[in-house]
Amino acid sequence: MLIRFNKPYGVLSQFTPEGKWRGLKDFISLPGVYVAGRLDADSEGLLLLTDDGQLQARIADPRFKMEKTYLAQVEGVADAAALQALSQGVMLNDGLTLPAQARAVEPHAHLWERDPPIRERKAKPTSWIELTIREGRNRQVRRMTAAVGLPTLRLIRTHIGPYSVMDVPLGNWRETELT
């Protein structure tokens, strides 16, 4: 079984709540399913869960290089130089990232509102970047955008490999066919 869950902001990638963060048990009551990969509590979007240990390893293990696509709302304007730097790989404190696919986008028309909303500053514009990576370093997308001068304000994972979250309402899950 493979579950696609649209994780809201403020929810951990574990069933047990911790501190101010809610756990998956508030949304998913299926016995025997486990998270395949992580998504930080302050990020939103696609989280995959499965009852199949081998599938969980294939999804989560970086050796299989399953692409992950994110929408990042960043502070500042995503210009050609920043997108080029992201595309070539960015030097972080733990080394150079692999090249990524990066492009400026408009937010999707059916994108849900975040609760709580992001902070907006009148003097600083925001823009959106779609970023596809093949690694899974800790807080990698946030660190990459910050390294090119565009701090991430909101981060939404839209795809893991062939699996998408865009047809799953926020806070809901759907069982999906393996591809």
Side-chain angles (χ1 to χ4, degrees), residues 46-103:
L46 182 60
L47 191 61
L48 296 177
L49 298 96
T50 182
D51 61 353
D52 180 332
Q54 289 181 336
L55 177 61
Q56 180 186 26
R58 279 198 317 268
I59 293 168
D61 194 317
R63 291 178 298 175
F64 295 104
K65 293 186 175 38
M66 192 171 273
E67 289 186 339
K68 297 168 196 76
T69 301
Y70 297 84
L71 285 176
Q73 185 177 13
V74 296
E75 189 171 80
V77 176
D79 61 14
L83 296 171
Q84 180 68 24
L86 291 167
S87 296
Q88 291 177 338
V90 177
M91 182 55 75
L92 302 176
N93 62 354
D94 56 354
L96 185 67
T97 66
L98 292 175
Q101 296 171 18
R103 65 187 184 112

Side-chain angles (χ1 to χ4, degrees), residues 148-176:
V148 299
L150 300 169
T152 296
L153 301 172
R154 185 176 181 196
L155 187 60
I156 303 163
R157 184 163 58 198
T158 61
H159 292 81
I160 299 173
Y163 306 108
S164 171
V165 75
M166 298 315 283
D167 65 334
V168 182
L170 184 64
N172 289 275
W173 59 270
R174 291 205 174 132
E175 188 170 352
T176 191

